[in-house]
Amino acid sequence: MTLTVMAVTGIPDIAPGDDLPGLLVEAVSSIGLHDGDVVVVTHKGVSKAEGFMVDAPDDLAYRMLVEEEAAAVLRRRGDLVIAETKHGFVCANSGVDRSNVENGKAVLLPRDPDRSANRIRTRLMKASGVELAVIITDTFGVAGMKPMLDLRGTPDMYGRTMEVTEVAIADEIAAAADLVMGKTARIPAAVVRGVGYLRGNGTAKDLIRPPNEDLFR
Amino acid sequence: MTLTVMAVTGIPDIAPGDDLPGLLVEAVSSIGLHDGDVVVVTHKGVSKAEGFMVDAPDDLAYRMLVEEEAAAVLRRRGDLVIAETKHGFVCANSGVDRSNVENGKAVLLPRDPDRSANRIRTRLMKASGVELAVIITDTFGVAGMKPMLDLRGTPDMYGRTMEVTEVAIADEIAAAADLVMGKTARIPAAVVRGVGYLRGNGTAKDLIRPPNEDLFR
């Protein structure tokens, strides 16, 4: 079994109002999409295109944004805030990010990442004619796949029923994609080929642990 | 940039005393190792070969093992224990695992996973003649690479200096490998090709957060 992770290159710096699905259709044409591919897109690219870039002239303004974007602050450690966002995601600094953004600006999370993923998926499927899945990293949105692989009830190699194993397969795919997209690079997307995921309607909310299992609470 | 993740097949169920480095040398020969490859090996395979398989006839015995293997219990939630192990790793159930192990047995973490990684690396390099890195998952041991990619001080695409970004690249490689090794399968290793990691002496202990940054404390 072989997995291939390909960087999607040639996408220019994304600006508010850009047609990101259209840019992706064009950029992946040199790779060529196959049935079962997963297209991973950074949420930063999505947020920029959808206009969720705001002013953050200084550290204080940034800190205030982090508080504003938090539905609840779960933990603070120095400058780091672990917050639950309005979407229900638990993440660092409410997902507000200043890296790879022009000076004085910050990027918020997309408002509805599953919907963004679905929109991108529809355009890519229409252009390529194949069935595929889309993940918005850091796994804030998914379309066309179940983000968790639930192995509970599956026999292991000794015939013992696995009791607790659930694999956050969408997170693993996002991590694999991150290896080619990098953090400093201008690469907002990757194609992951060869993953055996479960097709169907999924939502990144499936990855959110219920509060009684969430160890940050 | 393209990354390839290949499952290493053909390794039989590993038993105590097996020469795991030798089994790996043989099994990867059909793939052929390249300079810069990362060979990922499950800690379960390592622990079985090194004899860290113990009796756990029932749930109570298993629970006791989890307590015994914990240097400190950081959190409990239902049956789940988040513990610091004697190595200093923070993990679920002290890393004691009953899945994919014969009934009535459990597998502990390897005693010195970095050393196991180094031993495997030496044998694979000797047999292949190329330089490579080894990771023992879930990133409990590394050899031949720096497990963290420290981007602090690197300029981002706007020339802004990145202040906080460190990428746990070894964790991302382990996640990518997990996608082909699976949880129910008999595949204890994978080869990851095309990752730009930093060569050198590393230890998985670099991935352990200092207590003041560890949000489980």
Side-chain angles (χ1 to χ4, degrees), chain B:
Chain B
M1 189 181 176
T2 298
L3 184 87
T4 318
V5 186
M6 292 158 281
V8 176
T9 53
I11 297 180
D13 193 16
I14 296 158
D18 278 353
D19 172 24
L20 180 60
L23 291 172
L24 286 166
V25 163
E26 201 178 317
V28 297
S29 65
S30 62
I31 294 176
L33 292 175
H34 293 193
D35 185 80
D37 280 354
V38 183
V39 178
V40 180
V41 184
T42 63
H43 82 266
K44 209 170 286 181
V46 173
S47 290
K48 282 182 179 178
E50 294 181 355
F52 297 117
M53 192 148 70
V54 294
D55 288 328
D58 52 32
D59 285 357
L60 179 65
Y62 174 71
R63 292 280 125 218
M64 283 174 64
L65 268 174
V66 169
E67 300 294 328
E68 250 168 56
E69 290 295 301
V73 171
L74 305 183
R75 212 164 280 218
R76 294 178 192 274
R77 191 63 60 96
D79 266 353
L80 179 69
V81 172
I82 300 292
E84 181 178 356
T85 67
K86 288 152 195 167
H87 321 75
F89 300 125
V90 174
C91 55
N93 295 332
S94 314
V96 185
D97 196 339
R98 288 188 289 183
S99 62
N100 289 313
V101 182
E102 54 185 287
N103 273 315
K105 301 272 184 188
V107 165
L108 312 180
L109 294 185
R111 274 294 160 262
D112 187 346
D114 281 333
R115 199 171 159 221
S116 308
N118 270 299
R119 207 178 290 140
I120 291 168
R121 178 172 182 254
T122 304
R123 287 282 291 280
L124 287 172
M125 282 179 57
K126 208 168 170 183
S128 65
V130 298
E131 190 175 336
L132 49 83
V134 169
I135 296 174
I136 312 283
T137 61
D138 299 326
T139 329
F140 294 113
V142 300
M145 71 177 294
K146 304 287 181 195
M148 295 293 296
L149 205 59
D150 188 347
L151 299 175
R152 286 172 301 183
T154 324
D156 72 9
M157 61 192 248
Y158 289 91
R160 181 191 174 92
T161 302
M162 299 182 78
E163 286 155 32
V164 291
T165 304
E166 286 184 288
V167 182
I169 190 170
D171 282 337
E172 291 189 336
I173 296 169
D178 201 52
L179 285 166
V180 304
M181 300 194 295
K183 290 287 183 199
T184 48
R186 219 175 260 265
I187 298 175
V191 176
V192 181
R193 182 165 298 160
V195 185
Y197 60 88
L198 208 62
R199 300 183 188 203
N201 285 320
T203 161
K205 305 228 156 80
D206 293 348
L207 291 166
I208 300 175
R209 296 201 165 271
N212 64 334
E213 286 178 22
D214 183 345
L215 292 158
F216 279 124
R217 289 165 206 254

Side-chain angles (χ1 to χ4, degrees), chain A residues 135-211:
Chain A
I135 295 175
I136 312 282
T137 60
D138 297 329
T139 328
F140 294 114
V142 299
M145 71 179 293
K146 304 288 180 193
M148 296 294 295
L149 206 58
D150 187 348
L151 298 175
R152 287 172 300 185
T154 325
D156 71 11
M157 60 193 249
Y158 289 91
R160 183 191 171 90
T161 301
M162 300 182 78
E163 285 153 33
V164 291
T165 304
E166 287 183 287
V167 182
I169 191 171
D171 282 339
E172 292 189 338
I173 296 168
D178 201 52
L179 286 166
V180 304
M181 299 194 295
K183 289 287 186 201
T184 49
R186 216 177 263 264
I187 298 175
V191 175
V192 182
R193 183 166 296 161
V195 185
Y197 60 86
L198 206 62
R199 301 184 187 200
N201 285 321
T203 161
K205 306 224 156 86
D206 294 347
L207 292 165
I208 301 175
R209 294 201 167 272

Side-chain angles (χ1 to χ4, degrees), chain A residues 5-117:
Chain A
V5 187
M6 293 159 279
V8 176
T9 53
I11 297 180
D13 192 16
I14 297 158
D18 277 355
D19 172 24
L20 180 60
L23 291 171
L24 287 166
V25 163
E26 202 177 319
V28 297
S29 65
S30 63
I31 293 175
L33 293 175
H34 293 192
D35 185 81
D37 280 354
V38 183
V39 178
V40 180
V41 184
T42 64
H43 82 267
K44 211 170 284 180
V46 173
S47 289
K48 283 181 178 176
E50 294 182 352
F52 297 117
M53 193 147 70
V54 295
D55 288 328
D58 52 33
D59 284 358
L60 179 63
Y62 174 70
R63 291 281 126 219
M64 283 174 64
L65 268 175
V66 169
E67 301 293 328
E68 249 168 58
E69 290 295 301
V73 171
L74 303 183
R75 214 164 277 218
R76 293 177 194 275
R77 193 63 61 95
D79 265 354
L80 179 69
V81 172
I82 300 291
E84 182 180 355
T85 67
K86 287 153 196 167
H87 321 75
F89 300 126
V90 173
C91 55
N93 294 332
S94 315
V96 185
D97 196 339
R98 289 188 290 185
S99 63
N100 288 313
V101 182
E102 55 185 288
N103 273 314
K105 300 273 184 186
V107 164
L108 313 179
L109 294 184
R111 272 297 159 258
D112 186 346
D114 281 332
R115 199 171 159 220
S116 308

